Amino acid sequence: MSNENHEGKPTLNGDQNLPAHAGEERLSAPVAREGMFGAKTTGDTSGYGRLLVRRPAAQDSERPFTDPDDPRTARFDEIADTLEESLREGPVDFGAAIERVVVDRGELTLHVRREHLPEVARRLRDDPALRFELCLGVTGVHYPQDSGRELHAVYWMRSITHNTEMRLEVSCPDADPHIPSIVDTYPTNDWHEREAYDFFGIVFDGHPSLTRIEMPDDWHGHPQRKDYPLGGIPVEYRGATIPPPDERRSYT
Amino acid sequence: MSTNVTEDYIDASGGDWDEVIAAAQESGAERLVVNMGPQHPSTHGVLRLILTLDGETVTDARVGIGYLHTGIEKNMEFRTWTQGTTFVTRMDYLTPIFNEVAYCLAVERLLDITDQVPDRATVIRVLMMELNRMSSHFVAMATFGMELGATTIMTNGFREREMVLDIFELITGLRMNHGYIRPGGVAQDLPHGAVGKIRELLKEMPKRLKILRKLLDANPLYLARTRDVAYLDLAGCMALGVTGPLLRASGLGWDLRKAKPYCGYENYEFDVPVSDGCDVYARYRVRVAEMEQSLRIIEQCLDRLQSGPVMVDDPKIGWPAQLTLGPDGLGNSPDHIAHIMGSSMEALIHHFKIVTEGFRVPPGQAYAAVESAKGELGCHAVSDGGTRPHRVHFRDPSFTHLQAVAAMCEGGAVADVIAAVASIDP
């Protein structure tokens, strides 16, 4: 908590901590939310109604990915180098396939361009030096403010051989929610991709039978998206009416 | 609901069984499609199996899940980070503690306070997880016995489990759905008498496990129903993402407690039981052996318990009050209430803010995994910097493992489907 300012933005280090730089970056970040308390129907007397909260810009880590002070990151450079070498044998190179690399909280995230996901997944599984033989499924995350790349699919990979783990993140725009399926590389992703499709509407091209899995077949909409209402009804308790959770005052 | 007869198959989706048989005799179709569940007890909650049968042989097994979908992940996006514990504990009522720990580890990683969680809280977490592992394995075995018609296993299993649940009730106040593990520590310190009760369990449980082993280990009936049934080898497990006892019953001693220690598991002495039978019997043997190891860990936990705080020393995160038992049997915090209502306005404001608003979590994402009783349970938490999760996703082992039903059942007898599903312990 301590390394952030009041807007939930991590404090920048070194030279960038100068007010000019900090301000520049803050003002260029997309607006995450306006106003406060989630009040939409009543007049705002708090003065916070015109508040603009900006989300920090997308992070990007530079090499080296291994931080000598953080043992959790010990193998990250090795993974990136091996993958780079392995991809060189194929049709795409590392720079083209991997949009950016993020190291955060001791976790490695590779942002993969969606068209190259199957190639990267296959390399990760089959290269003896990588050998991520276990894919722990995929889940969607909806970032409505991240225009052009609203829907993210997040894959968690684990190598039992080398005891390493990492995350793949693939994004696609809401207007064209297509991501190639990796079920033929990781059969375990069958249901996980169906779930991500069911909840987020991400279409996994090449999936053997992409149907809903949790919701009924004839359901409309994709419930985990941010624009999908939670639902619920007001409840009366001792004469007072308690609104449903998504209409209550919120502090975020 | 009616019997739908085509040239290829007879779809028995309800109705009178005599009619189905008559229709089957009339038509030349060889295959019968039946629904198993979603209401039958052997389908563990509400699981629906759609089986295509050729005589007694299952040619196709398809699984319909979704009857248990309750929108917990969506609901959590409308509650504070602390309130999330209340939701995740209900995701699987047999492994509530594991759900809570996975969630709290993810939130703590987001907050970057993993190292600040007090020792006592970590030891209590391990203690509770290992107790929970035992209670979950007991249910796995009990329901398995019941489904095969062996009610003694069922009554024994549930009786043993009740001993664990009594301890849970003493410590958390509830038999299940505890909401006990919280981001930053645990909700309450161990109450008076808890350690003594756990010591009693440690004394009694080995005898009970011995009885269970005597009853089942070499029981010819049990062996006939479990040996070489629902075979899934290591290659199958890897392809289908199967972890936990099922993976260890196919010969690979992979256990996150050893491989990626969390909550200080590296400081405990225990073995990872492995079997290479790949069948239902091997999974049973692994589970029983794991319970014996759990007892070892619990004993070490009791020795490691040092007095100290059970919540992180950060008033911006830790819950301000500790409950004490009131005369009416309900928990309350008289000292804390006297403090905030009588002596400190700041404490009242702080209490109000942390309870209604919650704490802010720096933006980012984290994944934390624990070795639950059923396999790798992962929690992927995303924060946008607010007081509520932007997204929380659970990688649930049962969800993944149920994909293996087709691989385990197809080509086998219809009676073995029950054994297969029960051995997955969804």
Side-chain angles (χ1 to χ4, degrees):
Chain A
M1 293 294 284
S2 55
N3 61 346
E4 64 162 42
N5 60 19
H6 63 282
E7 282 168 330
K9 235 171 83 70
T11 313
L12 301 166
N13 300 324
D15 294 345
Q16 294 190 314
N17 211 9
L18 295 169
H21 282 284
E24 240 166 59
E25 198 196 310
R26 192 176 71 244
L27 291 174
S28 62
V31 176
R33 184 176 54 79
E34 294 173 33
M36 207 168 184
F37 303 135
K40 293 181 188 77
T41 50
T42 54
D44 170 52
T45 55
S46 66
Y48 284 107
R50 287 184 294 166
L51 184 80
L52 290 182
V53 176
R54 291 177 186 275
R55 200 187 303 277
Q59 293 168 311
D60 203 347
S61 304
E62 300 282 322
R63 277 176 195 267
F65 304 128
T66 299
D67 175 2
D69 298 331
D70 190 347
R72 296 177 298 181
T73 65
R75 314 275 306 262
F76 289 180
D77 271 330
E78 196 185 324
I79 293 172
D81 293 343
T82 318
L83 181 63
E84 188 164 1
E85 217 163 274
S86 178
L87 282 172
R88 221 170 273 148
E89 296 163 15
V92 287
D93 67 335
F94 188 79
I98 312 293
E99 212 178 310
R100 56 205 171 89
V101 181
V102 177
V103 178
D104 183 31
R105 297 173 168 92
E107 293 178 357
L108 175 69
T109 309
L110 301 184
H111 288 257
V112 185
R113 289 203 173 80
R114 56 176 169 170
E115 57 272 27
H116 301 306
L117 176 67
E119 174 70 15
V120 171
R122 196 159 277 277
R123 295 276 164 196
L124 286 176
R125 189 193 67 176
D126 291 343
D127 193 311
L130 293 164
R131 203 66 93 199
F132 283 89
E133 56 273 272
L134 200 56
C135 178
L136 296 165
V138 53
T139 175
V141 186
H142 188 204
Y143 298 97
Q145 279 81 23
D146 197 359
S147 47
R149 23 186 297 139
E150 289 91 349
L151 294 167
H152 289 226
V154 182
Y155 303 78
W156 191 256
M157 321 291 283
R158 188 181 290 290
S159 164
I160 289 178
T161 310
H162 302 296
N163 196 10
T164 48
E165 45 190 357
M166 64 181 266
R167 182 189 291 122
L168 296 183
E169 196 160 338
V170 186
S171 62
C172 63
D174 211 354
D176 175 33
H178 289 266
I179 287 176
S181 166
I182 57 166
V183 170
D184 51 355
T185 310
Y186 293 108
T188 175
N189 264 22
D190 183 348
W191 282 17
H192 292 278
E193 287 184 3
R194 282 176 65 191
E195 193 188 51
Y197 161 72
D198 193 355
F199 288 156
F200 291 91
I202 302 173
V203 178
F204 291 92
D205 296 317
H207 187 283
S209 65
L210 195 66
T211 50
R212 287 189 184 271
I213 185 165
E214 303 275 9
M215 307 300 287
D217 289 340
D218 52 356
W219 197 263
H220 289 284
H222 299 284
Q224 287 276 12
R225 294 165 87 122
K226 288 288 173 188
D227 50 5
Y228 191 99
L230 178 66
I233 53 165
V235 178
E236 203 175 302
Y237 181 69
R238 296 196 174 183
T241 307
I242 290 103
D246 55 341
E247 288 167 29
R248 286 177 206 159
R249 170 183 285 192
S250 93
Y251 298 89
T252 39
Chain B
M1 301 288 260
S2 66
T3 309
N4 180 18
V5 183
T6 71
E7 276 183 25
D8 290 332
Y9 63 91
I10 304 138
D11 179 11
S13 53
D16 190 48
W17 191 243
D18 288 338
E19 280 173 29
V20 176
I21 295 169
Q25 281 167 346
E26 256 173 51
S27 104
E30 295 276 313
R31 291 182 297 154
L32 182 67
V33 180
V34 294
N35 272 311
M36 206 152 105
Q39 305 299 349
H40 193 267
S42 74
T43 55
H44 291 254
V46 274
L47 174 72
R48 178 178 165 216
L49 295 164
I50 304 131
L51 306 175
T52 307
L53 308 178
D54 184 356
E56 278 282 314
T57 310
V58 179
T59 57
D60 260 318
R62 292 291 171 268
V63 189
I65 61 167
Y67 297 93
L68 278 173
H69 174 62
T70 48
I72 283 177
E73 289 174 2
K74 178 89 174 169
N75 262 295
M76 287 170 74
E77 293 167 15
F78 294 89
R79 304 299 205 291
T80 66
W81 289 94
T82 308
Q83 284 173 314
T85 317
T86 321
F87 280 89
V88 298
T89 188
R90 283 158 171 80
M91 281 182 165
D92 180 350
Y93 55 86
L94 296 177
T95 59
I97 301 286
F98 292 107
N99 293 338
E100 293 171 23
V101 173
Y103 171 72
C104 292
L105 289 178
V107 177
E108 283 157 12
R109 180 170 281 197
L110 279 173
L111 287 165
D112 213 6
I113 56 165
T114 312
D115 301 335
Q116 297 167 33
V117 176
D119 268 355
R120 188 176 170 85
T122 307
V123 175
I124 294 176
R125 284 178 180 185
V126 172
L127 176 75
M128 297 295 276
M129 277 195 282
E130 293 308 320
L131 284 169
N132 200 172
R133 190 181 313 278
M134 294 177 65
S135 71
S136 173
H137 282 351
F138 274 127
V139 174
M141 266 168 243
T143 51
F144 181 81
M146 179 177 68
E147 286 152 25
L148 298 184
T151 43
T152 312
I153 307 174
M154 191 268 280
T155 48
N156 277 15
F158 276 106
R159 184 187 66 193
E160 266 62 296
R161 171 183 180 242
E162 213 57 35
M163 290 173 63
V164 178
L165 294 192
D166 281 348
I167 293 174
F168 280 168
E169 190 176 359
L170 179 71
I171 294 174
T172 73
L174 294 164
R175 294 167 74 248
M176 47 182 81
N177 303 342
H178 314 285
Y180 178 67
I181 318 287
R182 301 276 174 85
V186 299
Q188 284 291 118
D189 202 352
L190 295 180
H192 188 67
V195 173
K197 197 147 181 170
I198 297 168
R199 290 232 186 263
E200 267 172 45
L201 174 111
L202 286 176
K203 226 155 122 202
E204 181 65 23
M205 199 52 93
K207 293 180 215 157
R208 303 283 182 96
L209 285 177
K210 213 179 237 170
I211 294 173
L212 194 75
R213 273 189 178 272
K214 253 187 194 163
L215 178 64
L216 293 177
D217 273 8
N219 184 330
L221 285 173
Y222 191 72
L223 288 174
R225 289 301 305 271
T226 56
R227 269 272 162 86
D228 300 326
V229 168
Y231 187 89
L232 188 69
D233 63 5
L234 183 56
C237 283
M238 295 316 299
L240 292 166
V242 169
T243 48
L246 279 77
L247 180 63
R248 291 191 283 276
S250 67
L252 182 66
W254 174 257
D255 190 320
L256 285 176
R257 293 177 292 173
K258 288 277 190 205
K260 290 268 173 199
Y262 51 93
C263 290
Y265 265 112
E266 64 272 25
N267 304 322
Y268 297 89
E269 255 177 62
F270 64 99
D271 301 326
V272 177
V274 182
S275 164
D276 54 5
C278 306
D279 55 6
V280 176
Y281 183 68
R283 289 165 205 150
Y284 153 76
R285 288 297 290 256
V286 166
R287 289 201 174 100
V288 179
E290 268 180 23
M291 292 203 281
E292 289 161 356
Q293 296 301 321
S294 290
L295 287 174
R296 276 179 75 187
I297 301 176
I298 293 167
E299 196 158 7
Q300 295 170 49
C301 284
L302 292 184
D303 297 339
R304 297 174 62 91
L305 265 183
Q306 304 287 333
S307 57
V310 293
M311 184 51 94
V312 64
D313 183 28
D314 182 347
K316 292 284 180 203
I317 296 169
W319 203 252
Q322 282 277 306
L323 294 179
T324 47
L325 200 62
D328 55 354
L330 297 175
N332 215 332
S333 324
D335 292 345
H336 179 67
I337 292 173
H339 178 56
I340 61 173
M341 299 308 283
S343 60
S344 171
M345 186 64 196
E346 288 74 22
L348 176 65
I349 294 170
H350 174 67
H351 179 100
F352 181 76
K353 289 228 352 146
I354 199 151
V355 172
T356 58
E357 182 180 333
F359 49 79
R360 282 172 196 279
V361 173
Q365 54 182 337
Y367 178 89
V370 299
E371 184 72 34
S372 103
K374 296 167 182 187
E376 171 164 353
L377 176 73
C379 175
H380 176 233
V382 185
S383 171
D384 61 355
T387 56
R388 297 167 163 193
H390 182 75
R391 167 104 173 104
V392 177
H393 173 73
F394 269 70
R395 187 266 178 201
D396 197 277
S398 305
F399 176 86
T400 314
H401 294 176
L402 279 174
Q403 291 185 97
V405 164
M408 286 182 185
C409 298
E410 286 177 4
V414 64
D416 291 340
V417 173
I418 309 272
V421 173
S423 76
I424 291 175
D425 183 27

